[in-house]
């Protein structure tokens, strides 16, 4: 079982029913929030939903409630007033052998193809966005906005020149690395520690080429030394598409206050994550880990190969495990602790929302995109203006994209 699968299981388990006390909103607050949100452009910067596009039984136009594999589909996007976001080409990198690099190359291209196939199959409801202005136009046309991003640049190791092909095919946001170090950069979470002390020479070349093409760089999952390299190297601002605050929970995936300030000073944006294992210490035992592995074996497929029917069985199996071997669950309160702290450190011009849906995100009391007006209700309760809320729901992110594309323009 890969690290990826285990971490997904940790966080999927976090979406089980809530037992602790949690923040509540009145019906009027939620109605006002939903009305406002429908007016605004609402984008999530990290949707792992393309991981479902190839699954047997998945159709983005259908509702997939009560399934461990799905938090985003068209009915729930409509219900939660989510206009769209960045749909990720995620690759679970192999052992970094030449054969693994070729496998990652093909996996990335296939995922890109699946995103384009989804768009081609749903021309009346989804549309590809390439520029910042495209998002508002697509919303006006009554469709959902699909920007393409890449999480982990491992598909580019075999042939970095593929980046210009990806750009031509729609890629607008690129992260260098994921859970483990690769040829481009050090990960924040590789147990072996630093390999490059930041970006490798190939990583620096990749970042420079992305800047030349106008692709926004995403620092999420990379080590703090990579952050420091980007601050030094980047002529344009960059983002963290799904990260939280180290001051609230000291996890290597989270950013400390000094770097948050540097990010804001450089014009960048942090999109706050709802991945439970980065928000709190879930206190997961070895027994629980083993039980999850046994559950996956019982269901009988690798995570990437699960059908939607198996996703229902997985949800039930995890709920059963919650009874036998409970975990601490991250809640909206935990999320808002990070959100409020980051807003306090950098201000609403440098904060956004990237909740890691379909990639392990979600909270005990907010399990899918249908409940997103709770975020807007919280922002209204805290006194943020409509303009500031619009910036947080996508304006800030699109500003960074505008700067990247302007810098690239001849
Ligand atoms: Zn991620």
């Amino acid at each position: 079982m890969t690290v990826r699968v285990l971490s997904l299981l940790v966080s999927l388990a976090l979406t089980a029913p809530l037992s602790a006390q949690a923040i509540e909103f009145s019906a009027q607050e939620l109605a006002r929030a939903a009305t406002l949100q429908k007016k605004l452009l609402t984008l999530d910067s990290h949707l792992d939903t393309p991981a479902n596009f190839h699954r047997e039984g998945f159709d983005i136009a259908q509702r997939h409630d009560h399934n461990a594999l799905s938090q985003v589909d068209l009915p729930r996007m409509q219900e939660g007033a989510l206009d769209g976001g960045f749909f990720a080409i995620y690759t679970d990198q192999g052992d970094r052998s030449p054969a693994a690099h070729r496998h990652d190359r093909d996996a990335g291209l296939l995922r890109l193809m699946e995103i384009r196939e989804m768009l081609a199959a749903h021309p009346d409801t989804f549309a590809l966005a390439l520029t910042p202005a495209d998002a508002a136009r697509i919303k006006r046309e009554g469709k959902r906005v699909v920007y393409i991003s890449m999480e982990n640049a491992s598909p580019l190791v075999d042939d970095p020149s593929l980046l210009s092909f990806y750009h031509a095919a729609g890629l607008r946001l690129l992260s260098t690395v994921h859970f483990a170090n690769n040829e481009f950069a050090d990960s924040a979470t590789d147990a072996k520690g630093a390999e490059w002390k930041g970006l490798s020479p190939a990583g620096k070349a990749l970042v420079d080429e992305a800047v030349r093409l106008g692709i926004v760089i995403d620092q999420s999952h990379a080590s703090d030394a990579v952050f420091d390299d980007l601050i030094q190297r980047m002529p344009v601002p960059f983002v963290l598409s799904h990260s939280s605050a180290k001051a609230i929970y000291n996890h290597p995936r989270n950013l400390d206050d000094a770097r948050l300030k540097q990010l804001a000073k450089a014009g960048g944006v942090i999109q706050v994550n709802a991945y439970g294992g980065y928000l709190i210490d879930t206190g997961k035992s070895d027994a629980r880990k083993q039980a999850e592995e046994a559950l996956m074996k019982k269901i009988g497929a690798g995570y990437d190969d699960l059908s939607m029917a198996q996703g229902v069985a997985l949800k039930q199996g995890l709920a059963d495990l919650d009874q036998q071997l409970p975990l601490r669950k991250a809640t909206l309160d935990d999320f808002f602790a990070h959100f409020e702290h980051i807003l306090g450190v950098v201000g609403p011009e440098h904060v956004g929302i990237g909740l890691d849906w379909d990639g392990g995100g979600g909270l005990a009391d907010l399990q899918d995109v249908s409940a997103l007006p709770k975020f807007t209700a919280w922002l209204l309760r805290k006194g943020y203006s409509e303009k500031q809320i619009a910036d947080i729901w996508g304006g800030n992110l699109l500003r960074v994209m505008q700067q990247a594309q302007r810098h690239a323009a001849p």
Side-chain angles (χ1 to χ4, degrees):
M1 184 176 285
T2 64
V3 174
R4 168 73 169 179
V5 171
L6 279 172
S7 71
L8 277 170
L9 288 174
V10 174
S11 46
L12 287 168
L14 297 174
T15 62
L18 174 71
S19 54
Q21 187 74 33
I23 190 167
E24 283 180 17
F25 300 97
S26 70
Q28 290 97 319
E29 279 182 294
L30 290 175
R32 184 183 167 211
T35 302
L36 172 59
Q37 229 180 278
K38 281 176 191 150
K39 261 189 358 194
L40 308 177
L41 188 57
T42 55
L43 301 174
D44 185 298
S45 53
H46 191 70
L47 302 169
D48 272 312
T49 311
N52 287 335
F53 289 173
H54 71 288
R55 290 190 199 281
E56 186 188 332
F58 183 78
D59 175 355
I60 199 165
Q62 301 296 319
R63 200 176 177 106
H64 299 277
D65 279 333
H66 313 299
N67 194 312
L69 302 171
S70 177
Q71 299 169 301
V72 180
D73 48 42
L74 181 61
R76 285 181 288 175
M77 289 176 83
Q78 288 166 335
E79 190 178 326
L82 179 65
D83 290 314
F86 287 73
F87 286 70
I89 297 167
Y90 163 73
T91 306
D92 185 8
Q93 79 188 24
D95 63 8
R96 296 174 60 186
S97 63
H101 291 321
R102 286 193 297 277
H103 179 272
D104 291 356
R105 175 199 64 195
D106 294 352
L109 292 169
L110 278 169
R111 195 50 55 86
L112 169 67
M113 201 168 81
E114 288 157 6
I115 296 171
R116 299 293 306 231
E117 283 175 342
M118 187 283 281
L119 288 161
H122 301 283
D124 298 330
T125 43
F126 288 89
L128 180 65
L130 299 172
T131 69
D134 283 347
R137 174 185 55 76
I138 290 168
K139 182 181 170 85
R140 279 196 304 275
E141 291 169 359
K143 300 177 190 177
R144 305 286 141 175
V145 179
V146 177
Y147 287 104
I148 299 175
S149 61
M150 182 180 281
E151 179 177 38
N152 193 1
S154 68
L156 302 170
V157 171
D158 184 69
D159 179 1
S161 79
L162 278 173
L163 187 62
S164 61
F165 166 75
Y166 274 102
H167 177 258
L171 185 74
R172 292 297 180 267
L173 176 65
L174 171 70
S175 85
T176 52
V177 70
H178 195 247
F179 286 142
N181 301 339
N182 65 19
E183 276 63 14
F184 296 121
D186 289 335
S187 168
T189 50
D190 194 315
K192 295 190 298 296
E195 181 174 334
W196 308 104
K197 297 191 174 72
L199 289 167
S200 72
K204 288 174 184 168
L206 185 76
V207 165
D208 291 352
E209 177 64 358
V211 168
R212 190 186 72 77
L213 291 166
I215 297 171
V216 175
I217 292 291
D218 176 3
Q219 159 67 17
S220 284
H221 285 288
S223 72
D224 285 344
V226 175
F227 179 99
D228 298 342
D229 280 351
L230 291 179
I231 286 285
Q232 289 295 318
R233 191 167 197 88
M234 295 280 294
V236 287
F238 61 94
V239 304
L240 290 89
S241 70
H242 57 304
S243 290
S244 300
K246 207 168 263 181
I248 301 299
Y249 178 45
N250 186 11
H251 189 288
R253 268 288 274 112
N254 294 335
L255 204 59
D256 60 61
D257 288 359
R259 287 189 174 86
L260 280 171
K261 285 176 189 156
Q262 283 183 294
L263 177 76
K265 196 171 163 212
V269 179
I270 177 167
Q271 307 278 120
V272 185
N273 198 347
Y275 186 106
Y278 305 151
L279 297 177
I280 61 166
D281 178 359
T282 60
K284 190 178 195 186
S285 65
D286 287 343
R288 170 85 191 211
K289 285 180 204 159
Q290 286 158 13
E292 287 177 0
E293 286 181 25
L295 173 63
M296 283 301 289
K297 277 208 186 98
K298 195 174 132 202
I299 291 174
Y303 188 84
D304 285 344
D305 301 323
L306 290 174
S307 68
M308 295 309 284
Q310 287 170 315
V312 174
L314 179 60
K315 178 118 181 166
Q316 185 55 53
L318 290 169
D320 293 344
L321 283 188
D322 283 341
Q323 301 297 318
Q324 300 151 22
L325 299 161
L327 289 174
R328 288 186 59 217
K329 320 279 187 193
T331 65
L332 269 172
D333 285 325
D334 297 315
F335 173 86
F336 288 134
H338 286 262
F339 203 41
E340 185 155 36
H341 177 82
I342 293 171
L343 282 162
V345 173
V346 298
E349 301 82 16
H350 300 284
V351 179
I353 292 173
L355 302 173
D356 223 344
W357 297 119
D358 294 333
L363 303 161
D365 43 353
L366 192 131
Q367 302 195 11
D368 63 28
V369 295
S370 67
L372 289 179
K374 288 183 181 178
F375 291 88
T376 302
W378 184 89
L379 288 163
L380 286 168
R381 195 186 275 187
K382 291 287 170 181
Y384 287 99
S385 69
E386 291 193 11
K387 164 77 169 70
Q388 288 169 328
I389 294 171
D391 286 347
I392 290 166
W393 266 120
N396 293 328
L397 184 61
L398 295 182
R399 179 190 71 228
V400 171
M401 185 189 281
Q402 184 75 60
Q403 286 169 280
Q405 294 194 0
R406 235 181 240 146
H407 182 86

